[in-house]
Amino acid sequence: MKSFAFRGLPLVLVLLLAGCQNTPSHKVLPVDELVSAFRQLDVSVAEERLDDARSQLDALQRRASGDTRLEQYQRQLADAYMEQGREALQQGDLDRAAQALGQARSLLPQAPSLSHDLNQAIDRAREARQNAAEQQARETAARLDAQRQEQLRQQRLAAERQLKAAAAAVTEPAEEPVVERAPKARLIDLDATTSSVALPMLDNQDNENLRRLLDSVAADVVTFHCAVRIEVREAKDYPWVAALLSARIKKLDPTFRPRLSQKIVPQQVPRLLLSPQRK
């Protein structure tokens, strides 16, 4: 019996080993590597991080171009961009609305009708904004023109008052003063350091009124020893005014040497600045 037991032991070991080799092994189930990527795409769309979602979708299209889920996410992301565009349009952000519209179109180029309404709304908003800007520009131009016309009117009125004052001074009969009186200024303000005399007739080429006004200017220049600055729009106007004024000064006092200077001011009505000499 003992001998049989020892002889049978190897057979048992062989059977046990064979049984172990025949035991089925556990297989590892395949895991979808794209599941995580699609989940991240879902989160980005839900959190409205659309640019991140677009990048993730582009990456998935390169990795799994034949995956049937891509078309669904492509449409879902396009709808999200369309909604973003509508919200931007309501807020008046036309550039952001147009960018969102462009993203939606690039995702669904085969379905342009889906973005047609948003595209028309953006175009209408841009047209309305442009019309409003043009209307504002026209109103601003009209207001500035009205202000300029009023300024010119006031300057003409001032010049007319000065002409009337000069004419009245010329036509007044000369009377022999019983008592010596201080000389009277025709145009300048003796209490001011500098007096301005407008020359709008230079713009209108009204030489008759210009000569008449310079008669009174010359009288004040000689009487009060005024320095004269001639401000004109163009350099060619200075010699003309200077010659007329110098001739009248010489007629009143041949020995008087006028102090004349010039300044070019294109946007200003021509004028004289008279500065009497203080004693």
Side-chain angles (χ1 to χ4, degrees), residues 39-274:
R39 286 178 180 172
Q40 292 177 1
L41 178 57
D42 280 328
V43 172
S44 296
V45 174
E47 294 179 353
E48 297 183 356
R49 292 184 288 106
L50 303 187
D51 292 340
D52 292 343
R54 180 63 190 270
S55 299
Q56 293 165 357
L57 179 61
D58 291 342
L60 284 168
Q61 287 174 331
R62 290 191 295 269
R63 292 171 57 188
S65 59
D67 195 301
T68 57
R69 290 171 289 182
L70 291 175
E71 184 176 353
Q72 171 190 349
Y73 282 102
Q74 194 171 348
R75 177 60 180 270
Q76 184 178 355
L77 185 55
D79 290 341
Y81 270 116
M82 291 286 290
E83 181 60 28
Q84 185 185 77
R86 283 188 284 268
E87 291 177 357
L89 182 60
Q90 291 177 354
Q91 296 170 1
D93 191 345
L94 301 185
D95 292 336
R96 184 164 171 262
Q99 291 174 359
L101 176 61
Q103 290 283 7
R105 283 180 166 176
S106 66
L107 286 165
L108 293 177
Q110 72 280 9
S113 60
L114 295 176
S115 59
H116 178 70
D117 292 343
L118 179 58
N119 184 44
Q120 281 194 331
I122 293 175
D123 289 343
R124 287 194 297 269
R126 281 178 172 165
E127 183 178 359
R129 177 175 292 182
Q130 182 178 359
N131 291 339
E134 291 175 353
Q135 178 64 25
Q136 184 177 3
R138 287 193 294 268
E139 292 175 355
T140 300
R143 183 171 62 254
L144 292 176
D145 185 64
Q147 292 174 353
R148 176 175 167 274
Q149 294 298 330
E150 177 61 21
Q151 182 182 15
L152 291 174
R153 189 182 72 85
Q154 293 294 337
Q155 290 172 346
R156 284 195 298 269
L157 292 175
E160 290 173 0
R161 287 194 294 268
Q162 289 178 340
L163 285 173
K164 290 179 180 179
V170 171
T171 56
E172 286 180 357
E175 296 181 357
E176 291 294 334
V178 177
V179 180
E180 185 178 358
R181 294 178 297 180
K184 183 178 180 181
R186 296 188 180 185
L187 298 177
I188 67 174
D189 182 2
L190 294 177
D191 294 329
T193 304
T194 300
S195 298
S196 174
V197 178
L199 303 176
M201 63 287 292
L202 189 61
D203 286 341
N204 302 328
Q205 298 182 354
D206 185 1
N207 292 327
E208 181 179 354
N209 280 326
L210 178 61
R211 290 186 177 94
R212 186 179 304 146
L213 180 61
L214 292 179
D215 286 336
S216 297
V217 172
D220 281 351
V221 170
V222 172
T223 302
F224 301 100
H225 296 81
C226 296
V228 183
R229 187 169 74 186
I230 304 173
E231 296 184 352
V232 291
R233 296 186 191 273
E234 300 179 43
K236 67 180 181 64
D237 293 328
Y238 170 76
W240 171 242
V241 176
L244 291 177
L245 181 58
S246 296
R248 282 155 176 76
I249 292 174
K250 186 176 182 181
K251 184 177 179 181
L252 293 174
D253 185 356
T255 64
F256 187 88
R257 296 292 180 265
R259 293 173 293 161
L260 306 181
S261 61
Q262 67 169 322
K263 183 176 181 182
I264 307 303
V265 189
Q267 304 301 326
Q268 176 185 283
V269 173
R271 65 175 183 174
L272 303 176
L273 294 181
L274 306 180

